[in-house]
Amino acid sequence: MQDFRDLKVRQKSQLVRAAVSVSANIAEGCGRAGDRDFRRFIRIALGSASELEYHLLLARDLGILPDASYEPLAGQVAEVKRMLSGLAARLSSS
């Protein structure tokens, strides 16, 4: 039982870390000079969003996150990924 509680704590920590990484990479990219560097950090943020998506799915599959909580969170992460992809594409074309 203790092992499962430890797993829950570690999984929650991973979820938070991945979520913070998305916004931290966007912020870091904003502080860089030029669209090329900014685009690179947007792509890193997109990777972090994909990692967050995975950790949400894993938490749901392990029974740590109820379906009722998973669905809206997964939808929000998918929307963030769409916005990041659009921004990266726009920066590529400029």
Side-chain angles (χ1 to χ4, degrees):
M1 192 62 160
Q2 180 64 36
D3 287 342
F4 186 69
R5 278 181 279 194
D6 290 344
L7 176 64
K8 285 174 66 173
V9 169
R10 286 192 308 269
Q11 186 60 29
K12 287 178 184 178
S13 176
Q14 286 293 97
L15 278 164
V16 170
R17 188 198 56 75
V20 168
S21 181
V22 174
S23 56
N25 278 295
I26 294 168
E28 186 171 353
C30 285
R32 298 296 174 134
D35 286 351
R36 184 173 181 215
D37 277 344
F38 185 35
R39 183 176 62 243
R40 183 169 65 88
F41 279 93
I42 293 301
R43 289 184 176 144
I44 294 168
L46 185 56
S48 295
S50 293
E51 183 181 353
L52 177 58
E53 199 171 45
Y54 163 76
H55 285 298
L56 286 170
L57 184 61
L58 181 60
R60 186 198 65 182
D61 290 350
L62 292 173
I64 296 169
L65 185 65
D67 283 338
S69 297
Y70 169 79
E71 294 299 332
L73 290 171
Q76 290 170 359
V77 172
E79 178 64 19
V80 167
K81 287 177 67 177
R82 281 190 291 275
M83 289 188 289
L84 289 171
S85 293
L87 178 56
R90 183 171 178 163
L91 290 169
S92 291
S93 66
S94 62

